[in-house]
Amino acid sequence: MSPRARFYRDNLGIPLVLALLVFCLFDLTNIDRVISNALLDPSTGEFILRRSQWFETLTHKWPRVIPDWTGELAIIGALLSFIWPRLAKYPQGVRVTEHAHLAPLLRWTTTYRRDLFFVIVAFALTTGVIHYLKAHTSVYCPVETTLYGGKELRYEWFENFNLLHKAGDGRCWPGGHASSGFTLLALYFIARRYRWQHAKALLGAIFVLGMVFGTTRVLQGWHYMSHTFWAGIFVWLSTLLVALVFYGRTQLDSEPQPRAVRRNVAVGAVRIGQKNAPAS
């Protein structure tokens, strides 16, 4: 299999197969409801952690800091990246920044400007995709439906989907909190670009973070489990698209490029062999 085919099999084919599995196993069955029903308090009929303020703060409000600060730092870094090339023309300005220990930071942002803008665009696109799907499917959260004490009827996303217009007021599919964790997948693609040896470990950590973000909302009754899976799939595909635009496939190939054999060594060996060979 060619590197191109392997790349698209792993990064596009597998997510699409997972999307089909999630659709068949969750959207066409009642597994989501079985999972959510198991999280109800039998005595009250409510989700056990729905009204827990400490759980809401610990798992929903505070964790948002991670993706929020990542995006904000990328924006700040991208703006700073334009300073050093202009400042370098003025020796006095260089001396001032060196004295203030700002020069290394400014040089770093200039060097990695493309990566900083990649994070910004990837975050923007994935957020836009998730918001589009929420508005154009109008799926209500479990606790908002009549199944769990709400007033709205439960529908699957494909029953309400409208390509061009908002489908209604529901805003629950895919999972928004889970998607905010999965947006950090942008960092994984940067790690792949630089062949970072711990890129796979970073990928695993980001997936765990996204799943934790999504699962905690399931425990509170604000999402079904499949909403988290769909969030991860859409964020991955959106981030992959942006990565291909910014870097191209060859820079994202996870396989390290083999080093070329030094021809001068081989030539030297031949010469030595020729020198020691007996005369014919």
Side-chain angles (χ1 to χ4, degrees), residues 121-138:
V121 176
F123 274 38
L125 180 63
T126 54
T127 302
V129 168
I130 296 299
H131 279 285
Y132 168 85
L133 292 170
K134 284 177 175 290
H136 289 252
T137 56
S138 187

Side-chain angles (χ1 to χ4, degrees), residues 98-169:
E98 291 283 3
H99 182 72
H101 304 290
L102 294 176
L105 173 62
L106 296 178
R107 284 195 291 263
W108 185 90
T109 58
T110 302
T111 301
Y112 296 101
R113 179 189 298 163
R114 174 176 291 192
D115 302 315
L116 293 168
F117 274 100
F118 163 68
V119 171
I120 295 170
V121 176
F123 274 38
L125 180 63
T126 54
T127 302
V129 168
I130 296 299
H131 279 285
Y132 168 85
L133 292 170
K134 284 177 175 290
H136 289 252
T137 56
S138 187
V139 173
Y140 286 94
C141 300
V143 294
E144 297 175 320
T145 66
T146 54
L147 295 175
Y148 301 103
K151 299 179 180 180
E152 306 294 340
L153 295 177
R154 180 186 181 276
Y155 292 101
E156 292 291 350
W157 63 268
F158 54 85
E159 296 177 302
N160 277 346
F161 180 71
N162 190 308
L163 181 63
L164 300 178
H165 305 286
K166 293 182 179 181
D169 296 327

Side-chain angles (χ1 to χ4, degrees), residues 110-268:
T110 302
T111 301
Y112 296 101
R113 179 189 298 163
R114 174 176 291 192
D115 302 315
L116 293 168
F117 274 100
F118 163 68
V119 171
I120 295 170
V121 176
F123 274 38
L125 180 63
T126 54
T127 302
V129 168
I130 296 299
H131 279 285
Y132 168 85
L133 292 170
K134 284 177 175 290
H136 289 252
T137 56
S138 187
V139 173
Y140 286 94
C141 300
V143 294
E144 297 175 320
T145 66
T146 54
L147 295 175
Y148 301 103
K151 299 179 180 180
E152 306 294 340
L153 295 177
R154 180 186 181 276
Y155 292 101
E156 292 291 350
W157 63 268
F158 54 85
E159 296 177 302
N160 277 346
F161 180 71
N162 190 308
L163 181 63
L164 300 178
H165 305 286
K166 293 182 179 181
D169 296 327
R171 294 291 185 275
C172 202
W173 184 91
H177 191 48
S179 69
S180 68
F182 287 125
T183 54
L184 296 176
L185 286 169
L187 303 181
Y188 165 68
F189 283 100
I190 294 175
R192 284 183 61 165
R193 181 195 183 196
Y194 292 103
R195 307 293 196 274
W196 190 40
Q197 60 178 340
H198 302 298
K200 290 184 178 180
L202 176 63
L203 175 64
I206 294 170
F207 272 127
V208 169
L209 184 68
M211 290 300 298
V212 170
F213 275 30
T215 303
T216 54
R217 299 303 279 167
V218 175
L219 295 174
Q220 293 179 295
W222 286 107
H223 280 291
Y224 288 115
M225 197 66 224
S226 65
H227 296 186
T228 298
F229 298 140
W230 279 118
I233 291 169
F234 283 116
V235 171
W236 174 273
L237 293 175
S238 302
T239 308
L240 173 64
L241 175 61
V242 179
L244 288 172
V245 171
F246 269 73
Y247 304 133
R249 180 192 62 80
T250 55
Q251 289 194 41
L252 297 173
D253 196 333
S254 59
E255 296 295 330
Q257 297 295 328
R259 294 182 178 180
V261 178
R262 295 180 60 183
R263 296 180 61 86
N264 59 336
V265 175
V267 172

